[in-house]
Amino acid sequence: MGRDRELNVLTSALEAAAAGRPGTAIVTGEAGIGKTRLVEELIDRAEAAGSVVASGACSPVSTRLPYGPVVDLVSGLLRQVPDLPELVPEEAWSAVAPLTGVRVHARHLPDPRLGSTRLFIGFVELLAAASARRPALLVVEDIHWADPASIDLLAFAAHRFRHEQVVLVLTNRPAGVRPAASLRPALGELRRIPTTVEVSVEPLPPSSIRELVEERAGASAPARFDEIVRRSGGIPFFALHLATHHPGQVSPHLRDVLLSSLEDLPREAKELLVLLTVIGDANEAEVLLAASAASPEEFNERARALTDRGLTVVNGESIGFRHALLREVVVADTLPSERRLAHARAAGALLRSAAAHQPHRAAQLAHHLMECGRHDEALHYALRGARHTCGVWAFTDASELYAAALRLWPLAEDAETATGLTYPQLLREAAMTSRWHGGLDEALRLIREALALADVPPEVRAESEHTYGQILWAAGDMGTSLAAHRRAEALLPTAGHAKLRSAVLAALAHGLMVTGKSKEAERTARAAIDLAAASGADRERIHASITAAAARAQLGDVGTAVLALRECLPLTHQLDDIELVVRCYGNLTFALGIACRYEELASAAADGLRACRRYGPVVSLASTLMNNQVQALVTLGRWDEAVQVASAALDEATAGSVGLHLRIALADVAVARGNAEEADRLLAQANELGADDPYLTSALSVVRAERALWDRQPHVAASAVAAALPSLRAQDDGMPLLEACWLGLRAAADVAESQIPRRPASRPSAAAELLDLAHRAAVRTALPVASVILSQSRLEAHRISGADLAAEWAAAAAANAELRRPYFRAYCLFRQGAAELRRQARAAARTALGEGLQLADTLGAGPLATEIRTLASVADLRLDGATTAHPAAGPTKKAPYGLTVRECEILELLTTGATNRQIGRSLFISERTASVHVSNILAKLGAANRTEAARIALRMNIDTSPWP
């Protein structure tokens, strides 16, 4: 009644899904407003139209199971589409099946986040298959009570909808039933999806309340209609309760109205209500019957009394409260002793049932046992439940159970017997679980507590230090992480513990390699390989082998590295270890990239992405591999393709940090294209997401320096490079340092060219130091591209001193062409053209600039193309297919370096490439007079010739208009 507008919105969403436009609907309203009734009507219409319908409900009971409503949805889909497991890939079903209690082959997933990703993508594939033949309506009621794992999964699925015939409907209360931090971010993300619609269910108008009351409550209610409208506030549930109670039973407050429903209930029936508040909606009749301590006949009589009174409803095999508000009132009216007794009865019933042996029921048992004071048993089941919950990747829920176990530890009489663990081991498990769900502060607090314990054996403390290092790594504190792994290694006795030592050394080697300490990384990895081989630790051996190969690549021995990584690939596939598969392909593409073997890189990346897709979304699993693929496309000049791939990847990312290097690559392209606003946005995002990573520092500095250079701010570019040099010099990988040195020298050359008057003195000491650093980095790297970048660095140094060498720039352009680096080839051609003009070789300049402009235009390199056109314009060179018009000037600033009004007029004409004769004709002066003025201008600006004078005016934005 009175819900036509809301129902039309939901029906439209269902029709859109049937047309291949999936979406999400969030139905929000106060308790009792009629959300459930509205959704029931939608379900009836969907079923009548032949749609697949599945629903799930969230429970306010604190013993909720992880993915509770998702389990309901999957079960409902399986009932309506029995062949669903055969309609999805095996990997998808194996990821989702554990939620339904089906046992599948467990794959080795050392990084639990990968298991979570597989579950999430498997659920999406399940929905796609279920809706392939007919539309699917998925309803989750009371999302405000959902467990965190379900919220994450449903939000992920909504983001992934593309063309599936699916509509997801969530009902939600606006506030007051759960901490805002638990749900608000997910709802905010859902609301940002263009296909999400919101349905706000408002109070009914008086006319609809009257119609409802007359239909449901009989003839006596209309006499009290005004009172019912006033007291109900337009909420149907309240109106019906007010209408069905005798006037003498109605108290001034709603709580009393609801409590009046419990009056005259037999004691046993009320005890059953209290039992329902601690168990939740009971769908196992035998457990509820056992907990009630009644015979079947007595139980049926009590349950019937509650249903007849309108307090409970039966839905299939489940019995529960008719409305959430009733449950809340009963909870508030229950004595602590009554609640403790109910928990004791529930625990006893569950322990006598199959639930005692079902891992997914362990959390439920732990809660009841804890509430009734049976601490040793509660501790046992809390740990069992935490481990199971980790096994289905619901880490937030698992952390809550570990927190309960830690609270129970001092209360238990024999905690170690109850758990089979020592306290430090429990702390480590809890810390790693907090790490997986992103609670890094809590993870660090827990592991530091473990490290602070006294009288701990060295090997136990070593395990804690190793865990500490892993958590610090996740937190981005790489320096402290490496120190923790070193302490772990030092703590281990020289004899024994080979497997643990190999794991510690493998982690340490990986950290050293990623932070650029390649030589030490290789030595450490070799030691880990030997230990792992001796102890039969295959995973640690392969993990360390990949690191050793990657370190060799960093040190310049790419051939050896590529062979070693290709040998590791089949071993990673045999282990079916996604983490190692991703690392191996990622490092293989990295090695091929630094060797400029881009075609091989593309082939390896394609193989790797195909291998990773069977485990889940590629971007989440294989971000490094995707980053290397995008970087190769950027280097090859396939910018549109790189932007498309990277942008699509960022849309798929399940974590902000996944897209860090993708954003840097996109910023690099944006700078080269002259899209300053987009570049700044991407750089700001990358900077916010980044951590203390020298590779990140290098990449950001390179892009920022390039950005400043095209903005004609060489001093800013030089500062960006200088800030990055200390961390880059500490690395064994010389490529980032070499690239930074080239940019620093390029900035210094631009500064020298902008000086007025020009002072072509010997190279400044800072530039000499940069060139020396570049030489040492190139020698250390020994890669083909290193010699090309070193050559460019030397040429920039010559440009500082005024000795611009055209032939050398031509050679650098040819070398970049051979390495398939078109952007850098175009830049070198630009510099070659400028050098040719210095020596008045106009034909050679025109050829070089024309070729460079064609490349720049093809790439879409706007700033570089503009520089080439400007140079051609001031030199009066007509490039084939190029416009030589003077570019639109930006904001100008007056810089009268002793120039007269007439000299300013002449300088303006020089920037257009005018000859002395043309100047004379324009200003009505003789050609000789024009020549004298030009000579004066060159002297005042310190320019070698008229072309350089024009370039100085354009570069420095000198206002050439006359001034008083």
Side-chain angles (χ1 to χ4, degrees), residues 207-225:
S207 58
S208 295
I209 292 291
R210 177 184 291 277
E211 185 180 357
L212 177 68
V213 168
E214 288 177 348
E215 178 180 314
R216 297 287 186 89
S220 62
R224 296 185 289 114
F225 176 72

Side-chain angles (χ1 to χ4, degrees), residues 37 122 139 180 234 322 606 624 669 681 801 804 835 860 952:
R37 182 67 192 91
V139 176
R322 181 168 179 265
T624 299
V669 172
R681 182 184 68 83
S801 62
D804 222 345
I952 290 172

Side-chain angles (χ1 to χ4, degrees), residues 49 113 118 388 451 501 506 517 611 656 663 829 893 902:
R113 289 173 297 183
R118 291 182 64 190
H388 166 75
L451 289 168
R501 185 184 293 276
K517 297 178 176 59
R663 285 180 171 86
L829 288 168
K893 52 187 178 181
R902 176 62 76 186

Side-chain angles (χ1 to χ4, degrees), residues 460-477:
V460 175
R461 189 171 297 280
E463 289 179 341
S464 296
E465 289 283 9
H466 179 44
T467 302
Y468 188 35
Q470 292 174 297
I471 296 171
L472 286 166
W473 186 268
D477 190 350

